Amino acid sequence: VRHFADAMLREVDIVQGLLLHAVLFTISLLPISYLHGKILFNGAYAAVLGVEMRRRRVIASINAASASKTARRRYLRFRNFVRGVLGLRAVTVKFARPAPTCAPGLDDDLCKPGPKIPDERKARVAARLRPIAESLATNFGFQKSCVDSTFTD
């Protein structure tokens, strides 16, 4: 009877191990990083940036279309052609209408980081926490610097 009980317990262990591995495999297939990214991503800010970029694109395309089809532009092209044929100085005229925006002074490309502005509160918090973090890193042997390009101070 003892051999039978040992054999049955062995089979129960095998089945439990298989179930545990199946559950872990199923959990690993879930898009947890996708959900984590969705939670952390600031959708409202991205929507504002998207509207701003679309607005700029539309205004720039309208400005380009209206500037290229005017009679004045045709006259200037003809005048420059005639001046070039006659050997006179031909000056190109560019119409630079700034694209209006809802926030003045924004760059055309909003995908790059802006200038660093000193933050006094951040500096005070960093001055308080940096010695604590460095002593913990020293005590526990954590890595304090990294040689690859992904590490930031």
Side-chain angles (χ1 to χ4, degrees):
V1 173
R2 181 174 170 121
H3 290 292
F4 178 74
D6 288 342
M8 291 310 291
L9 287 175
R10 181 177 176 271
E11 292 299 321
V12 168
D13 286 343
I14 290 172
V15 170
Q16 285 177 346
L18 284 173
L19 283 174
L20 181 63
H21 279 88
V23 167
L24 289 176
F25 177 74
T26 306
I27 289 174
S28 71
L29 292 177
L30 294 175
I32 293 177
S33 62
Y34 173 78
L35 294 174
H36 188 251
K38 281 293 191 185
I39 290 169
L40 291 180
F41 184 70
N42 190 347
Y45 183 65
V48 168
L49 280 182
V51 167
E52 181 65 28
M53 296 299 283
R54 282 195 303 275
R55 187 178 292 152
R56 283 174 175 242
R57 242 181 270 123
V58 167
I59 291 173
S61 67
I62 290 171
N63 285 343
S66 67
S68 66
K69 293 180 182 176
T70 60
R72 184 175 181 187
R73 184 84 169 169
R74 290 190 191 122
Y75 164 72
L76 288 173
R77 277 194 205 146
F78 177 73
R79 185 189 73 152
N80 284 341
F81 173 74
V82 171
R83 290 179 71 88
V85 168
L86 295 176
L88 301 172
R89 192 172 125 217
V91 179
T92 58
V93 178
K94 292 183 181 177
F95 300 102
R97 283 193 228 164
T101 175
C102 60
L106 285 179
D107 290 335
D108 288 331
D109 183 16
L110 298 177
C111 299
K112 58 187 176 193
K116 279 200 165 190
I117 299 172
D119 187 3
E120 295 174 12
R121 181 180 177 279
K122 183 179 176 183
R124 286 194 312 265
V125 169
R128 266 194 338 239
L129 292 181
R130 192 168 299 275
I132 297 169
E134 286 180 356
S135 66
L136 286 174
T138 304
N139 290 341
F140 292 107
F142 294 144
Q143 183 177 356
K144 292 188 196 176
S145 63
C146 187
V147 294
D148 68 346
S149 63
T150 61
F151 182 78
T152 58
D153 266 337

